[in-house]
Amino acid sequence: MKRKIEVLDKGFVEFVDVFGGDSTVAKIARISYMSKPDPQGDRRLIELLMANGHESPFEHIVFTFLIKAPIFVARQWFRHRIGSFMERSGRYTKFDEEFYLPSNERANGYSDVMKDQMHAAFETYKKLIQAGVKKEVARMVLPMSLYTQWYWTVNARSLMNFLNLRADKHAQHEIQKYAMAIAFFFKESCPWTYEAFVKKSYKGDLLEV
Protein backbone atom coordinates (compact mmCIF):
# COMPACT_ATOMS: atom_id res chain seq x y z
CA MET A 1 0.00 0.00 0.00
CA LYS A 2 1.15 3.52 -0.75
CA ARG A 3 2.33 5.11 2.51
CA LYS A 4 2.43 8.79 1.61
CA ILE A 5 0.35 11.14 -0.57
CA GLU A 6 1.57 14.59 -1.56
CA VAL A 7 -1.04 17.29 -0.98
CA LEU A 8 -1.08 20.95 -2.15
CA ASP A 9 2.34 22.37 -3.04
CA LYS A 10 4.45 21.18 -0.09
CA GLY A 11 2.15 19.13 2.15
CA PHE A 12 1.43 15.45 2.59
CA VAL A 13 -0.55 12.81 4.43
CA GLU A 14 1.54 9.84 5.57
CA PHE A 15 -0.05 6.61 6.75
CA VAL A 16 1.74 5.54 9.95
CA ASP A 17 -0.27 2.68 11.44
CA VAL A 18 -3.68 1.10 11.92
CA PHE A 19 -4.95 -1.08 14.75
CA GLY A 20 -7.84 -3.33 13.77
CA GLY A 21 -9.77 -3.64 10.54
CA ASP A 22 -12.98 -4.91 8.98
CA SER A 23 -12.87 -8.22 10.84
CA THR A 24 -12.34 -6.38 14.13
CA VAL A 25 -15.59 -4.48 13.68
CA ALA A 26 -17.57 -7.64 13.00
CA LYS A 27 -15.98 -9.54 15.89
CA ILE A 28 -16.71 -6.77 18.39
CA ALA A 29 -20.25 -6.17 17.13
CA ARG A 30 -21.16 -9.82 17.76
CA ILE A 31 -20.64 -9.44 21.52
CA SER A 32 -24.06 -7.77 21.65
CA TYR A 33 -25.77 -11.07 20.93
CA MET A 34 -22.93 -13.40 21.93
CA SER A 35 -23.11 -14.79 18.41
CA LYS A 36 -20.44 -17.03 16.96
CA PRO A 37 -17.77 -15.81 14.50
CA ASP A 38 -18.93 -15.89 10.89
CA PRO A 39 -16.17 -14.72 8.53
CA GLN A 40 -18.46 -15.23 5.53
CA GLY A 41 -21.02 -12.85 7.04
CA ASP A 42 -18.63 -10.11 8.19
CA ARG A 43 -19.13 -7.91 5.16
CA ARG A 44 -22.92 -8.14 5.39
CA LEU A 45 -22.80 -7.38 9.12
CA ILE A 46 -20.64 -4.29 8.59
CA GLU A 47 -23.09 -2.97 6.01
CA LEU A 48 -26.00 -3.65 8.36
CA LEU A 49 -24.28 -1.79 11.21
CA MET A 50 -23.63 1.21 8.99
CA ALA A 51 -27.13 1.27 7.52
CA ASN A 52 -28.70 1.27 10.98
CA GLY A 53 -26.35 3.80 12.57
CA HIS A 54 -24.78 1.31 14.98
CA GLU A 55 -21.37 3.01 14.90
CA SER A 56 -19.76 2.05 18.23
CA PRO A 57 -17.96 -1.02 16.84
CA PHE A 58 -16.11 1.21 14.36
CA GLU A 59 -14.41 2.97 17.26
CA HIS A 60 -12.24 -0.13 17.63
CA ILE A 61 -10.33 0.60 14.42
CA VAL A 62 -7.66 3.19 15.19
CA PHE A 63 -5.48 5.02 12.67
CA THR A 64 -2.37 7.16 13.06
CA PHE A 65 -1.30 9.63 10.37
CA LEU A 66 1.50 12.16 10.03
CA ILE A 67 0.28 15.30 8.30
CA LYS A 68 2.01 18.35 6.89
CA ALA A 69 -0.35 21.19 6.09
CA PRO A 70 -0.72 24.98 6.34
CA ILE A 71 -1.66 26.29 9.78
CA PHE A 72 -5.09 27.44 8.57
CA VAL A 73 -5.84 23.85 7.52
CA ALA A 74 -4.57 22.56 10.86
CA ARG A 75 -6.85 24.89 12.78
CA GLN A 76 -9.88 23.57 10.89
CA TRP A 77 -8.69 19.99 11.42
CA PHE A 78 -8.18 20.40 15.17
CA ARG A 79 -11.86 21.29 15.57
CA HIS A 80 -12.48 17.55 15.16
CA ARG A 81 -11.87 16.97 18.83
CA ILE A 82 -12.45 13.21 19.11
CA GLY A 83 -8.93 12.24 18.26
CA SER A 84 -5.40 12.82 19.52
CA PHE A 85 -3.06 15.46 18.11
CA MET A 86 0.64 16.12 18.61
CA GLU A 87 1.94 19.11 16.65
CA ARG A 88 5.47 20.37 16.16
CA SER A 89 6.40 23.16 18.55
CA GLY A 90 7.16 26.67 17.39
CA ARG A 91 8.64 27.35 20.81
CA TYR A 92 11.40 24.78 20.45
CA THR A 93 11.93 24.48 16.70
CA LYS A 94 12.79 27.08 14.11
CA PHE A 95 10.43 27.13 11.14
CA ASP A 96 11.64 26.88 7.57
CA GLU A 97 10.35 29.26 4.92
CA GLU A 98 7.60 26.96 3.75
CA PHE A 99 4.33 28.62 2.91
CA TYR A 100 1.31 27.43 0.98
CA LEU A 101 0.79 29.64 -2.06
CA PRO A 102 -2.59 29.26 -3.77
CA SER A 103 -2.84 29.37 -7.54
CA ASN A 104 -3.09 32.75 -9.16
CA GLU A 105 -6.63 31.88 -10.22
CA ARG A 106 -7.65 31.00 -6.66
CA ALA A 107 -6.02 34.21 -5.39
CA ASN A 108 -7.85 36.33 -7.98
CA GLY A 109 -4.54 37.31 -9.58
CA TYR A 110 -2.85 38.28 -6.34
CA SER A 111 -0.66 35.23 -5.67
CA ASP A 112 2.52 37.28 -6.22
CA VAL A 113 1.33 39.84 -3.68
CA MET A 114 0.68 37.05 -1.19
CA LYS A 115 4.09 35.50 -1.87
CA ASP A 116 5.87 38.82 -1.25
CA GLN A 117 4.00 39.32 2.01
CA MET A 118 4.83 35.82 3.23
CA HIS A 119 8.51 36.27 2.38
CA ALA A 120 8.62 39.63 4.16
CA ALA A 121 7.06 38.08 7.26
CA PHE A 122 9.64 35.30 7.27
CA GLU A 123 12.50 37.78 6.88
CA THR A 124 11.19 39.61 9.93
CA TYR A 125 10.97 36.29 11.79
CA LYS A 126 14.63 35.54 11.00
CA LYS A 127 15.76 39.03 12.02
CA LEU A 128 13.96 38.73 15.35
CA ILE A 129 15.64 35.41 16.12
CA GLN A 130 19.04 36.77 15.07
CA ALA A 131 18.44 39.68 17.44
CA GLY A 132 17.93 37.29 20.32
CA VAL A 133 14.15 37.24 20.44
CA LYS A 134 12.86 33.85 21.61
CA LYS A 135 11.34 31.62 18.94
CA GLU A 136 8.07 31.51 20.86
CA VAL A 137 7.80 35.29 20.44
CA ALA A 138 9.30 35.66 16.96
CA ARG A 139 6.78 33.22 15.50
CA MET A 140 3.98 35.70 16.19
CA VAL A 141 4.74 37.51 12.93
CA LEU A 142 4.27 34.40 10.77
CA PRO A 143 1.08 34.02 8.70
CA MET A 144 -1.50 31.24 8.68
CA SER A 145 -0.12 29.91 5.40
CA LEU A 146 3.01 28.58 7.13
CA TYR A 147 3.33 24.79 7.02
CA THR A 148 3.22 22.80 10.23
CA GLN A 149 3.22 19.07 10.99
CA TRP A 150 1.34 16.87 13.42
CA TYR A 151 0.39 13.31 14.24
CA TRP A 152 -3.30 12.46 14.25
CA THR A 153 -4.57 9.32 15.97
CA VAL A 154 -8.26 8.74 15.39
CA ASN A 155 -10.79 5.93 15.46
CA ALA A 156 -12.73 5.04 12.33
CA ARG A 157 -16.01 6.44 13.64
CA SER A 158 -14.46 9.88 14.13
CA LEU A 159 -12.58 9.57 10.86
CA MET A 160 -15.88 9.03 9.06
CA ASN A 161 -17.28 12.14 10.69
CA PHE A 162 -14.24 14.05 9.44
CA LEU A 163 -14.89 12.77 5.91
CA ASN A 164 -18.57 13.68 6.10
CA LEU A 165 -17.63 17.30 6.74
CA ARG A 166 -14.35 17.74 4.87
CA ALA A 167 -14.68 15.43 1.85
CA ASP A 168 -17.47 17.66 0.65
CA LYS A 169 -17.68 20.50 -1.84
CA HIS A 170 -18.82 22.90 0.91
CA ALA A 171 -15.53 22.47 2.79
CA GLN A 172 -12.61 24.76 1.99
CA HIS A 173 -10.75 23.60 -1.12
CA GLU A 174 -7.45 22.93 0.66
CA ILE A 175 -8.82 20.70 3.41
CA GLN A 176 -10.86 18.80 0.82
CA LYS A 177 -7.57 17.67 -0.72
CA TYR A 178 -6.36 16.33 2.61
CA ALA A 179 -9.68 14.60 3.27
CA MET A 180 -9.40 12.77 -0.05
CA ALA A 181 -5.95 11.50 0.94
CA ILE A 182 -7.30 10.29 4.30
CA ALA A 183 -10.15 8.55 2.45
CA PHE A 184 -7.64 6.72 0.24
CA PHE A 185 -5.89 5.19 3.25
CA PHE A 186 -9.24 4.39 4.89
CA LYS A 187 -10.35 2.52 1.78
CA GLU A 188 -7.05 0.64 1.46
CA SER A 189 -7.02 -0.42 5.12
CA CYS A 190 -10.72 -1.22 5.62
CA PRO A 191 -12.34 -1.74 2.21
CA TRP A 192 -15.61 -3.23 3.52
CA THR A 193 -16.08 -0.51 6.13
CA TYR A 194 -15.23 2.19 3.59
CA GLU A 195 -17.70 0.81 1.05
CA ALA A 196 -20.47 0.50 3.62
CA PHE A 197 -19.79 4.05 4.80
CA VAL A 198 -20.00 5.56 1.31
CA LYS A 199 -23.13 3.57 0.43
CA LYS A 200 -25.07 3.84 3.69
CA SER A 201 -23.83 6.72 5.83
CA TYR A 202 -21.73 9.26 3.92
CA LYS A 203 -23.22 12.77 3.84
CA GLY A 204 -20.67 14.42 1.54
CA ASP A 205 -20.44 14.49 -2.24
CA LEU A 206 -16.84 13.74 -3.24
CA LEU A 207 -16.17 10.12 -2.32
CA GLU A 208 -16.99 7.11 -4.45
CA VAL A 209 -16.93 3.37 -3.79
Side-chain angles (χ1 to χ4, degrees):
M1 182 178 75
K2 184 188 296 186
R3 304 286 299 191
K4 188 174 183 179
I5 297 176
E6 305 295 327
V7 186
L8 302 183
D9 53 356
K10 304 178 187 69
F12 61 76
V13 172
E14 182 178 337
F15 176 84
V16 176
D17 203 1
V18 62
F19 173 81
D22 292 329
S23 61
T24 305
V25 171
K27 177 182 178 180
I28 286 173
R30 288 194 171 92
I31 193 70
S32 293
Y33 299 99
M34 298 298 292
S35 57
K36 295 179 180 179
D38 178 18
Q40 299 302 317
D42 284 357
R43 189 170 190 169
R44 186 172 62 254
L45 175 57
I46 288 169
E47 191 163 302
L48 185 65
L49 291 169
M50 198 74 72
N52 288 282
H54 299 315
E55 298 179 344
S56 297
F58 299 103
E59 295 177 12
H60 296 269
I61 305 173
V62 180
F63 293 87
T64 297
F65 301 96
L66 174 62
I67 297 146
K68 180 180 179 182
I71 289 174
F72 71 87
V73 170
R75 296 303 165 257
Q76 294 177 50
W77 207 311
F78 289 8
R79 295 179 70 179
H80 295 266
R81 293 184 293 276
I82 302 178
S84 299
F85 298 89
M86 178 60 72
E87 187 181 7
R88 70 170 294 179
S89 172
R91 294 187 67 193
Y92 305 116
T93 65
K94 183 179 177 181
F95 286 106
D96 297 319
E97 188 172 358
E98 289 187 305
F99 297 101
Y100 166 64
L101 187 66
S103 67
N104 205 40
E105 179 182 12
R106 184 151 168 74
N108 292 337
Y110 284 91
S111 60
D112 285 343
V113 175
M114 296 178 71
K115 182 178 181 181
D116 290 344
Q117 186 65 28
M118 294 172 196
H119 178 70
F122 196 80
E123 287 299 306
T124 300
Y125 171 73
K126 290 196 300 183
K127 289 177 182 177
L128 289 169
I129 290 177
Q130 290 167 2
V133 176
K134 291 184 177 180
K135 290 187 287 292
E136 66 183 40
V137 176
R139 64 179 171 170
M140 296 177 188
V141 302
L142 295 171
M144 297 286 284
S145 57
L146 181 73
Y147 272 92
T148 185
Q149 294 188 42
W150 69 93
Y151 282 98
W152 184 40
T153 298
V154 61
N155 68 56
R157 185 180 189 179
S158 295
L159 184 150
M160 290 185 285
N161 179 64
F162 175 84
L163 294 177
N164 273 327
L165 296 172
R166 305 303 183 177
D168 181 83
K169 67 181 180 182
H170 295 100
Q172 185 167 347
H173 168 78
E174 286 78 11
I175 201 168
Q176 286 182 33
K177 299 298 184 183
Y178 284 92
M180 297 303 287
I182 293 293
F184 172 85
F185 291 122
F186 181 30
K187 183 178 182 178
E188 289 290 300
S189 301
C190 306
W192 294 352
T193 300
Y194 173 87
E195 181 177 344
F197 166 63
V198 174
K199 286 182 175 179
K200 303 295 184 180
S201 180
Y202 177 49
K203 298 178 179 63
D205 52 17
L206 298 178
L207 300 181
E208 297 178 352
V209 175

